[in-house]
Amino acid sequence: MLKKFIKDIAKYSLSKLLPALTAFITTPILTSLFPPEEYGTWALALSVSSFMIALTVSGFGGAVIRFYPAYKAKSTLNTFFSTIFITTSAITIFIAGAGLFFSVSFREFLPSALIEFLPLIIAIFIAQSVFVIYMAVLRAREKSGVFTTFQLLLNYGGLGLGLVLVIFFDFRVDGLLLGTLLTLLLIVPILFYVATKGTKVKARYFKMQDAFHIMDYALPLTIGNVAMWGLRLSDLFIINFFYT
């Protein structure tokens, strides 16, 4: 048991450690390709998407890890996956729509670049919402190696594809965002298949009572994550305000 625990910790650590180390290489490349204003726009766009993730499904990641073993023990994983999928999809669509409405209604108070890239930001948010949920499933199933593989595919694939678009096809910040989106679109279907293999995700297995039970657990986690990402996002807006 201890040996497996240590091996899992080592594998999970790679998904955080390798991107952090790679940043020492990629950051100088990005700052040489983009002036500070464009680099800041890219960072702000990713932060907005991350904030929306925190607002939408971050708490459900913890809920997946909490409830998966119980549903597995009762052989009701069809209900679990169907309920999670429908619930998070509905919330994601609602938040995406609310984000669009908010951006249009208050566009004069928001950076123009943020409005320009809003469709890409919303698309990344939707795809990454699915990614977050089913990565949590891999953790619940103790698939540490598979988890790390998908995480590194997203980190390196998104940035690598984005840099290809920027360097060889004359894209700018939109190229980096498009690289992330295309990578998500490529790996999310595979992730969904791997995470739900052997189960059926269908509307008839959805249970409203289970959805409310899961949301009761997820809500406090979501509030904490929103507070954390909100602070990070507000810092970027404050810096942008004083810089301009």
Side-chain angles (χ1 to χ4, degrees):
M1 181 66 72
L2 179 60
K3 184 178 180 180
K4 184 179 185 303
F5 175 76
I6 294 173
K7 287 177 63 177
D8 285 344
I9 289 294
K11 290 177 181 178
Y12 284 127
S13 297
L14 289 176
S15 67
K16 301 294 184 182
L17 181 61
L18 289 180
L21 292 175
T22 308
F24 288 102
I25 300 173
T26 57
T27 299
I29 294 174
L30 290 170
T31 53
S32 67
L33 289 172
F34 299 100
E37 183 178 354
E38 285 189 280
Y39 185 85
T41 298
W42 174 63
L44 180 60
L46 292 183
S47 293
V48 170
S49 177
S50 297
F51 178 78
M52 296 175 75
I53 291 290
L55 184 63
T56 307
V57 297
S58 62
F60 283 92
V64 165
I65 296 172
R66 164 66 177 82
F67 291 107
Y68 176 87
Y71 280 88
K72 182 180 179 181
K74 294 186 294 183
S75 299
T76 55
L77 285 178
N78 289 345
T79 297
F80 175 73
F81 282 118
S82 300
T83 301
I84 285 288
F85 178 79
I86 292 173
T87 303
T88 55
S89 295
I91 294 173
T92 298
I93 292 170
F94 174 79
I95 294 297
L100 286 171
F101 175 79
F102 177 84
S103 300
V104 171
S105 301
F106 299 95
R107 62 186 308 157
E108 64 270 21
F109 301 105
L110 299 174
S112 58
L114 192 63
I115 300 299
E116 178 185 353
F117 298 126
L118 187 62
L120 277 174
I121 294 171
I122 294 295
I124 290 171
F125 153 66
I126 293 172
Q128 200 158 18
S129 294
V130 181
F131 182 84
V132 167
I133 291 299
Y134 293 98
M135 287 291 279
V137 173
L138 294 182
R139 289 182 60 193
R141 295 180 62 186
E142 300 181 353
K143 301 289 185 180
S144 56
V146 181
F147 175 95
T148 298
T149 299
F150 276 105
Q151 190 64 61
L152 294 178
L153 280 173
L154 176 60
N155 289 338
Y156 289 116
L159 183 58
L161 185 54
L163 287 174
V164 168
L165 293 174
V166 170
I167 295 171
F168 296 104
F169 296 95
D170 295 325
F171 282 80
R172 300 302 297 168
V173 172
D174 55 339
L176 294 179
L177 296 175
L178 190 58
T180 298
L181 177 59
L182 291 175
T183 302
L184 281 166
L185 293 178
L186 287 171
I187 66 176
V188 161
I190 303 172
L191 171 62
F192 181 84
Y193 171 79
V194 171
T196 63
K197 188 176 181 180
T199 64
K200 297 178 181 179
V201 180
K202 295 185 177 181
R204 71 172 183 265
Y205 295 122
F206 172 81
K207 289 188 177 181
M208 184 64 73
Q209 184 177 0
D210 290 36
F212 282 121
H213 186 51
I214 291 170
M215 284 190 288
D216 283 343
Y217 183 88
L219 181 59
L221 300 177
T222 299
I223 293 172
N225 290 328
V226 167
M228 180 183 69
W229 283 108
L231 287 173
R232 179 180 177 182
L233 186 61
S234 64
D235 287 345
L236 292 174
F237 275 110
I238 291 170
I239 291 170
N240 181 71
F241 176 79
F242 284 104
Y243 178 77
T244 55

